[in-house]
């Protein structure tokens, strides 16, 4: 918005679009903080609604659009049609998806263009629906795999090491599971699934 204001000819529609995105992201950040505060106080089933995992992940991919441009990494979304609903807190599921996508983009920063981007796909497995986030980054060492979801463990310079730990707590409170496996093409695959409603 600041850059648009500094231009000689102000593009009002574009500036309006940027400000709309700022409002949406600010409200979402507020929702995330409020939900996390209430979750930390006492996990409850309040706020859980029937969710279409395809719709939620489509929204997450749109939210990650800014990070995608900053990191120079594309995000490809492959929904599986006709998935049954799960009962979950939409803001918390969005936050998990966003965290996993941001981690994947950071892992792929500087990767060759022909590696493609981050792949987000949805799926059904037995009585669960879920999503997977695949990257072609450097992957994880065996030592890091063992303590991946432990608090204060991080591979990022300046990282706090609480993102995956919080994600795991939220998923487990929903009766779901979250995990990691090496990407056969190189890199990592993180997956997250919830019981079918």
């Amino acid at each position: 918005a600041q850059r648009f204001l500094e231009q000689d000819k102000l593009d009002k529609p574009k500036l309006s679009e940027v400000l709309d995105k700022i409002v949406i992201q600010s409200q979402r950040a507020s929702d995330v903080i409020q939900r996390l505060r209430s979750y930390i106080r006492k996990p409850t089933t309040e706020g859980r609604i029937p969710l279409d995992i395809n719709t939620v992940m489509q929204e997450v991919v749109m939210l990650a659009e800014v990070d995608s441009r900053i990191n120079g990494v594309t995000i490809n979304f492959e929904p599986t049609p006709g998935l049954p609903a799960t009962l979950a807190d939409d803001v918390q599921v969005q936050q998990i998806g966003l965290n996993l996508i941001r981690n994947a983009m950071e892992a792929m920063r500087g990767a060759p263009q022909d590696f493609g981007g981050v792949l987000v796909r949805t799926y059904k497995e037995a009585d669960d629906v879920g999503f997977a986030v695949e990257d072609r980054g450097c992957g994880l060492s065996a030592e890091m795999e063992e303590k991946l979801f432990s608090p204060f463990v991080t591979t990022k310079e300046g990282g706090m090491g609480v993102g995956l730990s919080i994600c795991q707590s939220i998923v487990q409170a929903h009766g779901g599971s979250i995990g990691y496996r090496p990407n056969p093409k190189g890199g990592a695959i993180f997956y997250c699934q919830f019981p079918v409603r």
Side-chain angles (χ1 to χ4, degrees):
Q2 191 68 47
R3 283 197 305 271
F4 279 120
L5 288 172
E6 290 168 0
Q7 291 175 357
D8 291 336
K9 187 175 179 186
L10 180 61
D11 185 344
K12 286 186 179 179
K14 196 72 178 167
L15 177 60
S16 179
E17 181 186 328
V18 169
L19 293 172
D20 287 344
K21 285 183 178 180
I22 290 171
V23 170
I24 291 167
Q25 292 280 22
S26 299
Q27 185 58 54
R28 199 186 71 76
S30 172
D31 290 345
V32 167
I33 292 165
Q34 292 303 320
R35 298 279 174 91
L36 283 176
R37 285 181 66 198
S38 63
Y39 173 76
I40 288 166
R41 280 198 298 269
K42 184 181 178 191
T44 69
T45 57
E46 191 179 321
R48 295 185 187 178
I49 57 173
L51 284 188
D52 173 5
I53 206 79
N54 284 327
T55 302
V56 173
M57 292 315 296
Q58 179 67 58
E59 291 168 356
V60 169
V61 168
M62 286 167 46
L63 287 170
E65 175 186 295
V66 174
D67 296 287
S68 172
R69 284 197 302 269
I70 290 169
N71 287 287
V73 178
T74 58
I75 306 171
N76 304 298
F77 180 48
E78 292 181 2
T80 297
L83 291 178
T86 184
L87 195 64
D89 183 309
D90 60 335
V91 172
Q92 290 181 347
V93 175
Q94 281 182 348
Q95 191 57 29
I96 293 165
L98 201 53
N99 188 61
L100 295 180
I101 290 171
R102 283 179 172 157
N103 287 351
M105 284 190 290
E106 286 179 25
M108 286 197 65
R109 196 182 292 149
Q113 288 294 326
D114 62 350
F115 273 24
V118 170
L119 173 62
V120 179
R121 59 181 180 78
T122 59
Y123 63 88
K124 182 177 186 300
E125 185 176 285
D127 292 330
D128 290 340
V129 288
F131 61 90
V133 178
E134 303 180 17
D135 70 60
R136 296 279 310 276
C138 56
L140 298 171
S141 67
E143 180 188 353
M144 184 55 70
E145 281 184 43
E146 287 178 23
K147 48 189 180 181
L148 192 57
F149 293 96
S150 302
F152 310 114
V153 172
T154 184
T155 58
K156 298 182 201 171
E157 189 177 320
M160 290 176 57
V162 293
L164 288 177
S165 177
I166 290 172
C167 288
Q168 184 181 50
S169 297
I170 292 170
V171 173
Q172 288 175 344
H174 280 79
S177 60
I178 186 171
Y180 157 84
R181 63 179 176 268
N183 188 338
K185 299 175 184 174
I189 300 173
F190 281 86
Y191 59 89
C192 177
Q193 53 197 53
F194 301 92
V196 169
R197 179 169 178 256

